[in-house]
Amino acid sequence: MDPVMLRAIERILVVLFAGMAIYLGYRLFLAVPTHRDSDGKVTLPGGTEVVLNRAAPGLFFALFGSVALGISLYSAVQATSAPPMTTGDAPTLASYSGLVPEAGGIDPTLEQAQLRRLFFTLNALVDASSSEGSQAVAERGDLRQVKLRLMRTAWLDGWGDHAAFSDWANGTDARGEPPDARFSAPAALYHQGRDRP
């Protein structure tokens, strides 16, 4: 069965059970006499306390159902599907949301700015690493793969072929003159925060 369909069924079940908890909590609230004492106390991080005095047990059921329902409606349903290993394509992430703004339509300029900041940090971490020898080579190789995967998600059409850039970056660590003039911008992004050799 399709992963998105399974997540949709899961979401429907959560909403049904949350609705049932709210309804049964309301019915229990009406059925229990009001002169009984019932207290509820929740201590949150930071020393904050929430205290409910003279609250009927049904109120707790309704409160639990309301929280579960709110979280279910607020959080997005996400499903990842990975293509066969032979294609070399990136896994795709489908996101469907209730009350959350759609995940699609990310501004490319904003995404490029986020990548520049991430690459600056990643490059600074590797430059500050005290690893030597084969450990340093392994770290740089891992960093190269992380950066290429991040770039794949934000690759612009004007940058040319991502696979060709990846081959060049894997062979030379994106050093030297790029084989395609369109690789200048992604190479600058790749080396963000350091002088490009």
Side-chain angles (χ1 to χ4, degrees):
M1 185 177 255
D2 183 28
V4 174
M5 183 60 72
L6 289 174
R7 292 301 311 262
I9 291 170
E10 172 191 344
R11 181 63 56 95
I12 290 169
L13 289 174
V14 168
V15 169
L16 288 175
F17 281 110
M20 186 174 71
I22 292 170
Y23 174 74
L24 292 177
Y26 174 72
R27 297 284 300 173
L28 183 60
F29 179 77
L30 292 178
V32 174
T34 59
H35 67 274
R36 295 202 178 167
D37 288 336
S38 172
D39 294 337
K41 181 178 178 182
V42 177
T43 304
L44 301 173
T48 305
E49 293 182 352
V50 177
V51 179
L52 296 174
N53 292 325
R54 300 185 52 87
L59 182 63
F60 294 108
F61 276 98
L63 186 61
F64 167 75
S66 298
V67 168
L69 183 61
I71 290 172
S72 176
L73 291 175
Y74 183 75
S75 62
V77 175
Q78 293 183 342
T80 304
S81 63
M85 292 295 286
T86 57
T87 64
D89 291 338
T92 57
L93 176 69
S95 179
Y96 304 93
S97 56
L99 299 178
V100 180
E102 284 296 318
I106 297 174
D107 181 17
T109 307
L110 176 63
E111 195 166 9
Q112 297 298 318
Q114 290 172 340
L115 278 179
R116 278 193 298 279
R117 183 181 53 83
L118 284 172
F119 286 4
F120 182 88
T121 303
L122 288 171
N123 289 329
L125 287 173
V126 167
D127 290 343
S129 175
S130 61
S131 299
E132 295 178 0
S134 62
Q135 180 65 29
V137 171
E139 285 178 2
R140 291 194 185 279
D142 291 344
L143 174 67
R144 181 173 45 254
Q145 294 309 311
V146 167
K147 290 196 292 188
L148 289 173
R149 286 177 189 242
L150 286 171
M151 289 179 81
R152 184 184 313 169
T153 62
W155 195 260
L156 299 176
D157 292 334
W159 288 355
D161 183 35
H162 180 269
F165 179 83
S166 295
D167 291 341
W168 174 64
N170 280 322
T172 66
D173 196 27
R175 295 174 192 269
E177 199 59 37
D180 185 342
R182 296 179 295 177
F183 291 168
S184 295
L189 176 63
Y190 183 91
H191 290 289
Q192 186 66 39
R194 62 164 64 145
D195 293 330
R196 205 170 118 221

